[in-house]
Structures are given as structure tokens and as C-alpha cells.
Amino acid sequence: MSRTPAPVVSSILETIGRTPLVRVPLAGLADGVELWAKCEWFNPGGSVKDRAALSIINEGERSGALTKDKTIVDSSSGNTAVGLALVGRAKGYAVELVMPESVTRDRKCLCGAYGARLVYTDAFSGSDGAIVKVREIVAATPQRYFYADQYRNPANPLAHYRTTGPEIWEQTGGRITHFVAGLGTSGTVMGTGRYLHERDAKVRVVAVEPSDGLHGLEGLKHMASALVPEIYDPKGHDDKVSVETDDGYKMCGEALETCGLLIGHSAGAALWGAREVARSLRSGVVVVLLPDAGERYLVGQGNK
Ligand SMILES: Cc1ncc(COP(=O)(O)O)c(C=O)c1O
């Protein structure tokens, strides 16, 4: 079997992106339908959010808004926090992260290990509570901070427009017919979708969303009941699939049993949505983006 040469790079940051596309042979698909997963846990910080973190920090440096005397700050339910902590550390910046107390201990330890300072908000106010808090912190001493602001920063979708979209186009040889991904900040869907639409207007971009506001799919947002991210534009996707928390969780088990993929809960939800799409087709090439691995969710919540 011929294998692509392993990359040789001068910085860990160069290993962000270029993640593998893996075939997912789920049952119940027509012979003419291919389902592929973009496995984002191959990024060095373990999730898709490394792409956004790198893009936000690079754009901050380019515009002059981020200078060495500033602390990078943002709110995150976890993966962006890890991405910012990793990229900030590699580039020599101080990083401060605001997150709900309920974020897994593992995630908190990881950010701490990269040297980030953590600020906790009430678990019940979720990611929106952390957003409100980080805005207060920045408003109190704006000159101290570079506010990454992943919910408003165009560098977030730009990361996907510049990297995720082109990679998928290239990996499928331009054959992709459907792109499926979960909605959190919406950066993934907005940026990847825009690129794919520009390459081929017929590609259907499908956003996966929790069925209601009180859900257990970390990283995803139910737009009707959430603080809607400024970078989100409903016209950026062609369809929306609504998923129950339980179905997302069950899909994680199914992905493990049938394909040996240990995936996170939002990845389970996205894969559930992608299977719905794939099952409705007689032919097509469906690509689903899986943001992180199940490894992230093995330990308990809070400080247990
Ligand atoms: C686990 C997980 N899934 C999905 C998403 C959603 O990605 P995006 O913010 O690009 O919409 C995130 C974002 O933080 C995430 O951490």
C-alpha cells in the first residue's frame, strides 16, 4: 500500500489542518451514495477549533490589533479554549479563557497545561453566560486585551473558507454533493459552505442543530433560543437538520461499533444528520465534519 509521506514542519502550528477524510460505511445507504468524515481531532489541539484559533490570532497580528503586550481572551465551552491556549503558547502570548464551570475537568486541565488562565462562569448559564462575562472583562480594561471574539470575528469563518473548504474539495476530487456540519459559532458551516458554493453552486450545505435550547450537545447552539453569533447568516446553508441529544449520543456508539471511530457528541449529532441526508439520496458524495473525538468526553463534568 502506498502511503503519503509524513509531514516535516518547522512549527507545531503548521500541523493545523490537512486532516484526513475517512469513509464511513453506515448501513442503509444506496449503492450510489458515499459518506465521508472529515476527522478534525487530528489537529494538534484535538479539534476543528485549532483552525479558527490560528486564523484569529494570525489576523490579529496582521491587523496590528494583537501585540505582544496584550493578553488573548475569549469565552469558550472548551475546544476554542484549547486551540487559543495552544496557538497562544506556541507564539508566546498570555491567554485568558472564560468558560462555564461545567466544562470537563480534562478540558480545564488541558488549557491549564498550556499555561492559560481560566475564569469560570455559572454552569446553568452555559456558553451564553461565558460570553456575557468575557464582554464585561474586556469592557473593564480594553487596552489589556486582544478579544478573539469567535462569535463575531470574521477570521473564524475565514479559517474554514481558506482551509477546510479547499481541503474537502481537493480530497473528494470536486465530487462532493452535500456538506454537513453542526452549528456552534457557525464558523465551520459559514466558511466551508461559502467556499464550496463558490466552487459548485449545486453543493448542498446542511447545518445540524440541536432540537431545543436545553440540550447536551456541547459545542452546538440552538439558534432560536441562543445569543445568535454575528457571523451567522441563515442564507449560508441550504438546509437545516434538527437532532435530539439522545440520537447524537447513540450515533457515537454506532460509529464506534461499525467503523471504529470514537467521536465526540457534537460529531455524533453531525453524523446522525449526515446519515439522514445520505439515506434520502440515490447517489451522491456526502461529507460530514466531525469536530472532535470521544476521548474529550470520557471524564466527568465539573471538578469530579
Ligand atoms: C465540539 C464542538 N462541536 C461543534 C462546534 C461548532 O463549530 P463552529 O463553532 O465552527 O460552528 C464546536 C465549536 O466550538 C465544538 O467545540
Coordinates of all heavy atoms in Angstrom, one line a residue, residues 81-148:
A81 N -11.0 27.2 23.5 CA -10.1 27.5 24.6 C -8.8 26.7 24.4 O -7.7 27.3 24.4 CB -10.8 27.1 25.9
V82 N -8.9 25.4 24.1 CA -7.7 24.6 23.9 C -6.9 25.2 22.7 O -5.7 25.3 22.7 CB -8.0 23.1 23.7 CG1 -6.8 22.3 23.4 CG2 -8.8 22.6 24.9
G83 N -7.6 25.5 21.6 CA -7.0 26.0 20.4 C -6.2 27.3 20.7 O -5.1 27.5 20.3
L84 N -6.9 28.2 21.4 CA -6.3 29.5 21.7 C -5.1 29.3 22.6 O -4.0 30.0 22.5 CB -7.3 30.5 22.3 CG -8.4 31.0 21.3 CD1 -9.4 31.8 22.1 CD2 -7.7 31.9 20.2
A85 N -5.3 28.4 23.6 CA -4.2 28.2 24.6 C -3.0 27.6 23.8 O -1.8 28.0 24.1 CB -4.7 27.2 25.6
L86 N -3.2 26.7 22.9 CA -2.1 26.1 22.1 C -1.4 27.1 21.2 O -0.2 27.2 21.3 CB -2.7 24.9 21.3 CG -1.9 24.4 20.1 CD1 -0.7 23.5 20.6 CD2 -2.7 23.7 19.1
V87 N -2.2 27.8 20.4 CA -1.6 28.7 19.5 C -0.9 29.9 20.2 O 0.2 30.3 19.9 CB -2.6 29.3 18.5 CG1 -2.0 30.3 17.5 CG2 -3.3 28.1 17.7
G88 N -1.6 30.4 21.3 CA -1.1 31.5 22.1 C 0.3 31.1 22.7 O 1.3 31.8 22.6
R89 N 0.3 29.9 23.2 CA 1.6 29.4 23.8 C 2.7 29.3 22.8 O 3.8 29.7 23.0 CB 1.3 28.0 24.4 CG 2.5 27.4 25.2 CD 2.6 28.2 26.5 NE 3.9 28.0 27.1 CZ 4.0 28.0 28.4 NH1 3.0 28.2 29.2 NH2 5.2 27.9 28.9
A90 N 2.4 28.7 21.6 CA 3.4 28.5 20.6 C 3.9 29.8 20.1 O 5.1 29.9 19.7 CB 2.8 27.7 19.4
K91 N 3.1 30.9 20.1 CA 3.5 32.2 19.6 C 4.0 33.1 20.8 O 4.3 34.2 20.5 CB 2.4 32.9 18.9 CG 2.1 32.3 17.5 CD 0.9 33.0 16.8 CE 0.7 32.6 15.4 NZ 1.4 33.5 14.4
G92 N 3.9 32.6 22.0 CA 4.4 33.4 23.1 C 3.5 34.5 23.7 O 3.9 35.5 24.3
Y93 N 2.1 34.3 23.6 CA 1.2 35.2 24.2 C 0.6 34.7 25.5 O 0.4 33.5 25.6 CB 0.0 35.5 23.2 CG 0.3 36.2 22.0 CD1 0.5 35.5 20.8 CD2 0.5 37.6 22.0 CE1 0.9 36.2 19.6 CE2 0.8 38.3 20.8 CZ 1.0 37.6 19.7 OH 1.4 38.2 18.5
A94 N 0.2 35.6 26.4 CA -0.6 35.2 27.6 C -2.0 35.0 27.1 O -2.5 35.7 26.2 CB -0.6 36.3 28.6
V95 N -2.7 34.0 27.7 CA -4.1 33.7 27.2 C -5.0 33.5 28.5 O -4.6 32.9 29.5 CB -4.1 32.3 26.4 CG1 -5.5 31.9 26.1 CG2 -3.2 32.4 25.2
E96 N -6.2 34.2 28.4 CA -7.2 34.1 29.5 C -8.5 33.5 28.9 O -8.9 34.0 27.8 CB -7.4 35.5 30.1 CG -8.0 35.5 31.4 CD -7.9 36.9 32.0 OE1 -6.8 37.5 32.1 OE2 -8.9 37.5 32.4
L97 N -9.1 32.5 29.5 CA -10.2 31.9 28.9 C -11.4 31.8 29.9 O -11.2 31.5 31.1 CB -9.9 30.5 28.5 CG -8.7 30.4 27.5 CD1 -8.0 29.0 27.5 CD2 -9.2 30.8 26.2
V98 N -12.6 32.2 29.4 CA -13.8 32.2 30.3 C -14.7 31.1 29.8 O -15.0 31.0 28.6 CB -14.5 33.6 30.1 CG1 -15.7 33.6 31.1 CG2 -13.6 34.8 30.4
M99 N -15.0 30.2 30.8 CA -15.8 29.0 30.4 C -16.7 28.6 31.5 O -16.5 28.9 32.7 CB -14.8 27.8 30.1 CG -13.9 27.4 31.2 SD -12.8 26.1 30.7 CE -11.7 26.8 29.5
P100 N -17.8 28.0 31.1 CA -18.8 27.5 32.2 C -18.1 26.5 33.1 O -17.3 25.7 32.6 CB -19.9 26.8 31.4 CG -19.7 27.3 30.0 CD -18.3 27.6 29.8
E101 N -18.3 26.6 34.3 CA -17.8 25.7 35.4 C -18.0 24.2 35.0 O -17.2 23.3 35.3 CB -18.6 26.0 36.7 CG -18.5 25.0 37.8 CD -17.2 25.3 38.6 OE1 -17.1 26.4 39.2 OE2 -16.3 24.4 38.5
S102 N -19.0 23.9 34.2 CA -19.4 22.5 33.9 C -18.5 21.9 32.8 O -18.6 20.7 32.5 CB -20.8 22.5 33.3 OG -21.0 23.4 32.3
V103 N -17.6 22.7 32.2 CA -16.7 22.1 31.2 C -15.9 21.0 31.8 O -15.6 21.0 33.0 CB -15.7 23.2 30.7 CG1 -14.5 22.7 30.0 CG2 -16.5 24.2 29.8
T104 N -15.6 19.9 31.1 CA -15.0 18.7 31.7 C -13.6 19.1 32.3 O -12.9 20.0 31.8 CB -14.8 17.6 30.7 OG1 -13.9 18.1 29.6 CG2 -16.1 17.1 30.1
R105 N -13.3 18.4 33.4 CA -12.1 18.6 34.1 C -10.9 18.4 33.1 O -9.9 19.2 33.2 CB -12.0 17.6 35.2 CG -10.8 17.9 36.2 CD -11.0 17.0 37.4 NE -11.0 15.6 37.1 CZ -10.0 14.8 37.3 NH1 -8.9 15.2 37.8 NH2 -10.0 13.5 36.9
D106 N -11.0 17.4 32.3 CA -10.0 17.2 31.3 C -9.6 18.4 30.5 O -8.5 18.7 30.3 CB -10.6 16.1 30.4 CG -9.6 15.3 29.7 OD1 -8.5 15.1 30.3 OD2 -9.8 14.8 28.5
R107 N -10.7 19.1 30.0 CA -10.5 20.3 29.2 C -9.9 21.4 30.0 O -9.0 22.1 29.5 CB -11.9 20.7 28.7 CG -11.9 21.4 27.4 CD -11.9 20.5 26.2 NE -13.0 19.6 26.2 CZ -14.2 19.8 25.5 NH1 -14.3 20.9 24.9 NH2 -15.1 18.9 25.5
K108 N -10.3 21.6 31.2 CA -9.7 22.6 32.1 C -8.2 22.3 32.3 O -7.4 23.2 32.2 CB -10.4 22.7 33.4 CG -11.9 23.1 33.4 CD -12.5 22.9 34.7 CE -14.0 23.2 34.7 NZ -14.7 22.6 35.9
C109 N -7.9 21.1 32.6 CA -6.5 20.7 32.8 C -5.7 21.0 31.6 O -4.5 21.4 31.7 CB -6.4 19.2 33.2 SG -7.1 18.9 34.8
L110 N -6.2 20.7 30.4 CA -5.5 20.8 29.2 C -5.2 22.3 28.9 O -4.0 22.6 28.6 CB -6.4 20.3 28.0 CG -5.8 19.9 26.7 CD1 -4.6 19.1 26.9 CD2 -6.9 19.2 25.9
C111 N -6.1 23.2 29.1 CA -5.9 24.6 28.9 C -4.9 25.1 30.0 O -4.0 25.9 29.6 CB -7.2 25.4 29.1 SG -8.4 25.0 27.8
G112 N -5.0 24.6 31.2 CA -4.1 25.0 32.3 C -2.7 24.5 31.9 O -1.7 25.2 32.1
A113 N -2.6 23.3 31.3 CA -1.2 22.8 31.0 C -0.6 23.6 29.9 O 0.7 23.8 29.9 CB -1.4 21.3 30.5
Y114 N -1.3 24.2 29.1 CA -0.7 25.1 28.1 C -0.4 26.5 28.7 O 0.1 27.4 28.0 CB -1.7 25.3 26.9 CG -1.6 24.2 25.9 CD1 -2.8 23.4 25.6 CD2 -0.5 24.0 25.1 CE1 -2.7 22.4 24.7 CE2 -0.4 23.0 24.2 CZ -1.5 22.2 24.0 OH -1.5 21.2 23.0
G115 N -0.8 26.7 30.0 CA -0.4 27.9 30.6 C -1.5 29.0 30.6 O -1.2 30.1 31.0
A116 N -2.7 28.7 30.2 CA -3.8 29.7 30.1 C -4.4 29.9 31.5 O -4.4 29.0 32.3 CB -4.9 29.3 29.2
R117 N -4.8 31.2 31.7 CA -5.5 31.5 33.0 C -7.0 31.2 32.8 O -7.6 31.7 31.7 CB -5.3 33.0 33.3 CG -5.9 33.4 34.6 CD -5.5 34.8 35.1 NE -6.4 35.1 36.2 CZ -7.5 35.8 36.1 NH1 -7.9 36.2 34.9 NH2 -8.2 36.0 37.1
L118 N -7.7 30.6 33.7 CA -9.1 30.2 33.5 C -10.0 31.0 34.4 O -9.7 31.2 35.6 CB -9.3 28.7 33.7 CG -8.4 27.7 32.9 CD1 -8.8 26.3 33.2 CD2 -8.4 28.0 31.5
V119 N -11.1 31.4 33.8 CA -12.2 32.1 34.6 C -13.5 31.3 34.4 O -13.9 31.1 33.3 CB -12.4 33.6 34.1 CG1 -13.5 34.3 34.8 CG2 -11.1 34.4 34.2
Y120 N -14.1 30.9 35.5 CA -15.3 30.1 35.4 C -16.6 30.9 35.6 O -16.7 31.8 36.4 CB -15.3 29.0 36.4 CG -14.1 28.0 36.3 CD1 -13.3 27.7 37.3 CD2 -13.8 27.5 35.0 CE1 -12.2 26.9 37.2 CE2 -12.7 26.6 34.9 CZ -11.9 26.3 35.9 OH -10.9 25.5 35.8
T121 N -17.6 30.5 34.8 CA -18.9 31.1 35.0 C -19.9 30.0 35.4 O -19.6 28.8 35.2 CB -19.4 31.8 33.7 OG1 -19.3 30.9 32.6 CG2 -18.6 33.0 33.4
D122 N -21.1 30.4 35.8 CA -22.1 29.5 36.3 C -22.5 28.5 35.2 O -22.8 28.8 34.0 CB -23.4 30.4 36.6 CG -24.5 29.6 37.1 OD1 -24.3 28.5 37.6 OD2 -25.7 30.0 36.8
A123 N -22.5 27.2 35.6 CA -22.8 26.1 34.7 C -24.2 26.3 34.0 O -24.3 26.0 32.8 CB -22.7 24.8 35.4
F124 N -25.1 26.8 34.8 CA -26.5 26.8 34.2 C -26.7 27.9 33.2 O -27.6 27.9 32.4 CB -27.5 27.0 35.4 CG -27.6 25.8 36.2 CD1 -27.0 25.7 37.5 CD2 -28.3 24.7 35.7 CE1 -27.1 24.6 38.2 CE2 -28.4 23.5 36.5 CZ -27.7 23.5 37.7
S125 N -25.8 28.9 33.2 CA -26.0 29.9 32.1 C -25.2 29.5 30.8 O -25.2 30.3 29.8 CB -25.5 31.3 32.6 OG -24.2 31.2 33.1
G126 N -24.5 28.4 30.8 CA -24.0 27.8 29.6 C -23.0 28.7 28.9 O -22.4 29.6 29.5
S127 N -22.9 28.5 27.6 CA -21.9 29.2 26.8 C -22.3 30.7 26.7 O -21.4 31.6 26.6 CB -21.7 28.6 25.4 OG -22.9 28.6 24.7
D128 N -23.6 31.0 26.8 CA -24.0 32.4 26.7 C -23.6 33.2 27.9 O -23.2 34.3 27.9 CB -25.6 32.5 26.5 CG -26.0 32.1 25.1 OD1 -25.1 32.0 24.2 OD2 -27.2 32.0 24.9
G129 N -23.6 32.5 29.1 CA -23.1 33.1 30.4 C -21.7 33.5 30.3 O -21.2 34.6 30.7
A130 N -20.9 32.6 29.6 CA -19.4 32.9 29.5 C -19.2 34.1 28.5 O -18.3 34.9 28.7 CB -18.7 31.6 29.0
I131 N -20.1 34.2 27.5 CA -20.0 35.3 26.5 C -20.2 36.6 27.2 O -19.5 37.6 27.1 CB -21.0 35.1 25.4 CG1 -20.7 33.9 24.5 CG2 -21.0 36.4 24.5 CD1 -21.7 33.6 23.4
V132 N -21.3 36.6 28.1 CA -21.6 37.9 28.8 C -20.4 38.3 29.7 O -20.0 39.4 29.7 CB -22.9 37.7 29.6 CG1 -23.2 38.8 30.6 CG2 -24.1 37.4 28.7
K133 N -19.8 37.3 30.4 CA -18.7 37.6 31.3 C -17.5 38.1 30.6 O -16.9 39.1 31.0 CB -18.4 36.3 32.1 CG -17.3 36.4 33.1 CD -17.7 37.2 34.3 CE -16.5 37.4 35.2 NZ -16.8 38.4 36.3
V134 N -17.1 37.5 29.5 CA -15.9 37.9 28.8 C -16.1 39.3 28.3 O -15.2 40.1 28.3 CB -15.5 36.9 27.7 CG1 -16.3 37.1 26.4 CG2 -14.0 37.2 27.3
R135 N -17.3 39.7 27.9 CA -17.6 41.1 27.4 C -17.4 42.1 28.5 O -16.8 43.1 28.4 CB -19.0 41.2 26.8 CG -19.0 40.5 25.4 CD -20.4 40.6 24.8 NE -20.4 39.8 23.6 CZ -21.5 39.4 22.9 NH1 -22.7 39.8 23.3 NH2 -21.4 38.7 21.8
E136 N -17.8 41.7 29.8 CA -17.6 42.5 30.9 C -16.1 42.7 31.2 O -15.6 43.8 31.5 CB -18.2 41.9 32.2 CG -19.7 42.0 32.2 CD -20.3 41.1 33.3 OE1 -19.6 40.7 34.3 OE2 -21.5 40.9 33.3
I137 N -15.3 41.6 31.1 CA -13.9 41.7 31.4 C -13.2 42.6 30.5 O -12.4 43.5 30.8 CB -13.3 40.2 31.4 CG1 -13.8 39.4 32.5 CG2 -11.8 40.3 31.3 CD1 -13.4 37.9 32.5
V138 N -13.5 42.5 29.2 CA -12.9 43.3 28.2 C -13.3 44.7 28.3 O -12.4 45.7 28.2 CB -13.2 42.8 26.7 CG1 -12.6 43.7 25.7 CG2 -12.7 41.3 26.5
A139 N -14.6 45.0 28.6 CA -15.0 46.4 28.8 C -14.4 47.1 29.9 O -14.1 48.3 29.9 CB -16.6 46.4 28.9
A140 N -14.0 46.3 31.0 CA -13.4 46.9 32.1 C -12.0 47.5 31.8 O -11.6 48.5 32.3 CB -13.3 45.9 33.3
T141 N -11.1 46.7 31.1 CA -9.8 47.2 30.7 C -9.5 46.8 29.2 O -8.7 45.9 29.0 CB -8.7 46.5 31.6 OG1 -9.0 45.2 31.8 CG2 -8.5 47.3 32.9
P142 N -10.1 47.5 28.3 CA -9.9 47.1 26.9 C -8.5 47.1 26.4 O -8.1 46.3 25.5 CB -10.8 48.1 26.1 CG -11.2 49.1 27.1 CD -11.0 48.6 28.5
Q143 N -7.7 48.0 26.9 CA -6.3 48.1 26.4 C -5.4 46.9 26.8 O -4.4 46.7 26.2 CB -5.7 49.5 26.9 CG -5.4 49.6 28.4 CD -6.6 49.8 29.3 OE1 -7.8 49.8 28.8 NE2 -6.4 49.8 30.6
R144 N -5.9 46.1 27.8 CA -5.1 45.0 28.2 C -5.3 43.8 27.3 O -4.4 42.9 27.3 CB -5.6 44.6 29.6 CG -4.6 44.5 30.7 CD -5.1 43.9 31.9 NE -4.7 42.4 32.0 CZ -5.1 41.6 32.8 NH1 -6.0 41.9 33.7 NH2 -4.7 40.3 32.9
Y145 N -6.4 43.8 26.6 CA -6.8 42.5 25.9 C -6.8 42.6 24.4 O -7.2 43.6 23.8 CB -8.2 42.1 26.4 CG -8.2 41.6 27.8 CD1 -8.8 42.5 28.8 CD2 -7.6 40.4 28.2 CE1 -8.8 42.1 30.1 CE2 -7.7 40.0 29.5 CZ -8.2 40.8 30.5 OH -8.3 40.4 31.8
F146 N -6.6 41.4 23.8 CA -7.0 41.1 22.4 C -8.1 40.2 22.5 O -8.0 39.0 23.0 CB -5.8 40.5 21.6 CG -6.3 40.0 20.3 CD1 -6.6 40.9 19.2 CD2 -6.4 38.6 20.0 CE1 -7.1 40.4 18.0 CE2 -6.9 38.2 18.8 CZ -7.2 39.0 17.8
Y147 N -9.3 40.7 22.2 CA -10.5 39.8 22.4 C -10.7 39.0 21.1 O -11.1 39.6 20.0 CB -11.7 40.8 22.6 CG -13.1 40.1 22.9 CD1 -13.2 38.8 23.2 CD2 -14.2 40.9 22.8 CE1 -14.4 38.2 23.4 CE2 -15.5 40.3 23.0 CZ -15.6 38.9 23.3 OH -16.8 38.4 23.5
A148 N -10.5 37.7 21.2 CA -10.6 36.8 20.0 C -12.0 36.9 19.4 O -12.2 36.8 18.2 CB -10.2 35.4 20.4

